[in-house]
Amino acid sequence: MEARAELRYARIAPRKAKIVCDMIRGKDTKTAAALMEATPKAACELMLKVLKSACANAENNFEMDPDNLYVKTTYTAAGPIIKRGRAASKGRMNRINKRTSHITIIVAEKEAK
């Protein structure tokens, strides 16, 4: 059994969020939360909220043991790009792309050995 949480339209570039995804994938949830609290990346704050939500979903909706959870899968997909402009020389405009992300975290219980 697995539980998931998703953050859509997060105002962070996907390549910045993927770094944190790779860092926590496969770790147990307490270790992943501790890693994100100690890492000075902008994506850590957002992903910590999503991780806590996934753990709460697992505990409340599927009655899983919160001490026995690990991060099974985590990924980031590109969301829509917000296009903005900045004045350039000769009266022109340079485009600035403000990228968004969809962050998904799936947690599952460890198998009993």
Side-chain angles (χ1 to χ4, degrees):
M1 185 62 72
E2 55 189 37
R4 65 186 286 144
E6 201 171 314
L7 173 63
R8 295 178 53 80
Y9 308 106
R11 266 292 295 120
I12 190 162
R15 73 189 286 186
K16 292 179 182 179
K18 282 180 186 176
I19 294 168
V20 181
C21 283
D22 295 339
M23 183 177 73
I24 65 168
R25 190 176 293 117
K27 305 251 188 320
D28 65 275
T29 54
K30 291 185 179 177
T31 305
L35 274 171
M36 286 192 287
E37 286 173 359
T39 306
K41 293 262 178 211
C44 286
E45 190 175 327
L46 297 170
M47 293 189 68
L48 186 60
K49 278 181 140 180
V50 180
L51 179 65
K52 287 180 180 178
S53 177
C55 292
N57 289 343
E59 186 178 355
N60 294 319
N61 299 345
F62 301 107
E63 294 161 5
M64 294 184 202
D65 181 21
D67 298 327
N68 204 18
L69 294 175
Y70 75 102
V71 179
K72 181 177 180 182
T73 312
T74 176
Y75 55 89
T76 302
I81 299 172
I82 303 167
K83 287 144 183 126
R84 296 291 179 258
R86 179 178 177 168
S89 63
K90 299 184 180 179
R92 295 188 180 133
M93 183 191 79
N94 284 343
R95 184 149 91 183
I96 297 174
N97 292 329
K98 308 253 183 196
R99 299 185 186 274
T100 61
S101 304
H102 303 315
I103 300 168
T104 305
I105 295 179
I106 300 172
V107 296
E109 269 189 314
K110 292 179 189 168
E111 297 292 326
K113 291 182 181 178

